[in-house]
Amino acid sequence: MSIRRSIVRGVGGYLPARVMTNQELASKVDTSDEWIVQRTGIHERRIAAAGETTSDLGLAAARAALADAGMSADAVDLIVLATSTPDQTFPASAVTIQAKLGITRGAAFDLQAVCSGFVFGLATADRFLVAGDFKCALVIGAETFSRILDWNDRSTCVLFGDGAGAIVLEAAEQPGQRTDRGVLTTHLRSDGRYRSKLYVDGGPSSTGTIGHLRMEGREVFRHAVGMITDVVEDAFKATGYGAKDIDWFVPHQANKRIIDGSAHKLGIAPEKVVSTVDRHGNTSAASIPLALADACADRRIKPGHLVLLEAMGGGFTWASALIRW
Ligand code: UT7
């Protein structure tokens, strides 16, 4: 029996031109290239130019994804933008992207689940496509975390970067077999008891300011691998696939030690792991689609491959998705 699924038609990424190296950071705060590389695997990150906003980054990634899909913006009737650093409190930065793409039909909205935002956005768009509400979706992760960092706090400012990634999803009938392409399963979790472990100390309804990112890094680290492997096991249980079936593991890019620890605990071979954290740092909701764009551009990920996504971040939120490319 045929089944409607959300098929990936294209992927694109965008990084601001400005590179900030660990050496440059070491000239501003009490840190070193050696400490940052050893503890995180990060060598450099990108920083948005003055006046370059989250929607600018997201728009560039969306255009790249549409070009990769060989589709025009007219085909898109849903935009889900995952971001914690919108241009303004409202309207949603997604409608800015919608307008700049010249789209006047369908719906566009922002979704906020911090570093898990892209997988939450993917799951949301997938449900709308499978239900038949919309036909073609852009799921974008875009962030300008440089704007919410405390540049005097060495425990956080060395970790994050700016960027955007996007995928085009299109609803299509599949045979309803094990070889079906598309989003096969998604699993979303959150537990607000941990909300003070990673947060921004401002907001429109509390301080009336934007605020700065605050994190108990060790506490986040302590929970990360367990939460990630747990929600990936959910994806395996739901589909009957296991670690040996995975062609590519594309995790959220926060810390090389978390990525390696999760892959090891899940039994996924190191050569199947897509890692960009060395060049991008942690770009929050943008990190997974940026890593996907990287691995599609150099043709590591090909049609038919089984691709596993996972993320964990502020909230805490955590999530997984399994996609047949
Ligand atoms: O996107 C999802 C959310 N974020 C994450 O997943 C991040 C999770 N956490 C981490 O990645 C790690 O906990 C960090 C990279 C943030 C920190 O690594 P760690 O191995 O957990 O280090 P730590 O926090 O235990 O700090 C060790 C030492 C401390 O000094 P003392 O107290 O041992 O004397 C820190 O003050 O390193 C010090 N330190 C630094 N030293 C040089 C903290 N930041 C820096 C720095 N440069 N930038």
Side-chain angles (χ1 to χ4, degrees):
M1 196 184 68
S2 84
I3 177 171
R4 190 197 296 260
R5 291 200 185 274
S6 308
I7 313 287
V8 179
R9 297 294 188 208
V11 187
Y14 174 79
L15 289 163
R18 159 110 159 82
V19 176
M20 186 182 277
T21 62
N22 292 347
Q23 284 83 358
E24 183 182 345
L25 277 164
S27 71
K28 295 176 189 215
V29 288
D30 181 16
T31 190
S32 64
D33 177 52
E34 190 192 9
W35 189 95
I36 301 171
V37 172
Q38 257 183 18
R39 301 290 176 128
T40 71
I42 300 167
H43 290 262
E44 60 184 42
R45 71 289 292 143
R46 301 298 182 99
I47 303 294
E52 193 176 31
T53 63
T54 290
S55 70
D56 293 330
L57 272 52
L59 176 66
R63 286 196 169 127
L66 285 166
D68 184 51
M71 293 168 82
S72 84
D74 305 345
V76 175
D77 54 3
L78 175 65
I79 299 175
V80 181
L81 170 64
T83 187
S84 302
T85 46
D87 299 4
Q88 297 151 278
T89 303
F90 76 80
S93 300
V95 300
T96 301
I97 295 173
Q98 184 193 30
K100 289 188 176 170
L101 287 172
I103 302 169
T104 53
R105 68 198 183 93
F109 59 88
D110 290 1
L111 179 152
Q112 210 266 63
V114 205
C115 298
S116 309
F118 182 77
V119 185
F120 275 58
L122 179 85
T124 304
D126 175 54
R127 295 306 184 283
F128 279 125
L129 295 186
V130 168
D133 294 281
F134 300 103
K135 179 88 177 82
C136 182
L138 266 168
V139 183
I140 308 167
E143 303 280 15
T144 47
F145 262 50
S146 63
R147 307 266 155 78
I148 56 164
L149 293 175
D150 175 351
W151 287 98
N152 295 312
D153 176 9
R154 69 174 184 174
S155 72
T156 52
C157 75
V158 304
L159 304 174
F160 296 89
D162 299 336
I167 67 171
V168 179
L169 288 178
E170 189 178 33
E173 293 298 320
Q174 290 290 292
Q177 292 167 3
R178 214 163 158 71
T179 50
D180 276 5
R181 293 182 64 197
V183 177
L184 304 180
T185 195
T186 58
H187 300 268
L188 311 184
R189 303 264 202 93
S190 60
D191 188 340
R193 287 175 301 173
Y194 297 106
R195 66 195 182 283
S196 64
K197 304 293 179 202
L198 174 48
Y199 68 103
V200 171
D201 62 4
S205 174
S206 52
T207 60
T209 62
I210 297 166
H212 290 113
L213 182 150
R214 306 292 174 204
M215 176 167 73
E216 290 177 40
R218 212 174 299 185
E219 277 295 294
V220 181
F221 196 98
R222 200 163 69 77
H223 287 93
V225 173
M227 287 177 162
I228 288 164
T229 49
D230 207 33
V231 79
V232 167
E233 294 295 348
D234 286 349
F236 289 160
K237 263 183 231 136
T239 56
Y241 287 116
K244 63 176 183 346
D245 303 307
I246 301 303
D247 292 296
W248 295 106
F249 178 45
V250 188
H252 168 52
Q253 309 281 321
N255 184 321
K256 188 173 183 309
R257 286 154 60 208
I258 297 175
I259 294 172
D260 292 348
S262 306
H264 179 76
K265 193 167 172 202
L266 286 163
I268 296 172
E271 60 272 19
K272 293 183 173 180
V273 180
V274 176
S275 186
T276 53
V277 69
D278 55 332
R279 288 170 289 131
H280 301 172
N282 182 348
T283 58
S284 193
S287 91
I288 292 174
L290 268 170
L292 285 171
D294 229 47
C296 289
D298 62 19
R299 300 196 48 76
R300 269 175 289 169
I301 298 178
K302 297 191 184 75
H305 279 174
L306 196 58
V307 179
L308 173 65
L309 314 182
E310 62 78 2
M312 184 267 178
F316 291 149
T317 54
W318 62 112
S320 66
L322 204 50
I323 304 172
R324 172 82 63 195
W325 221 251

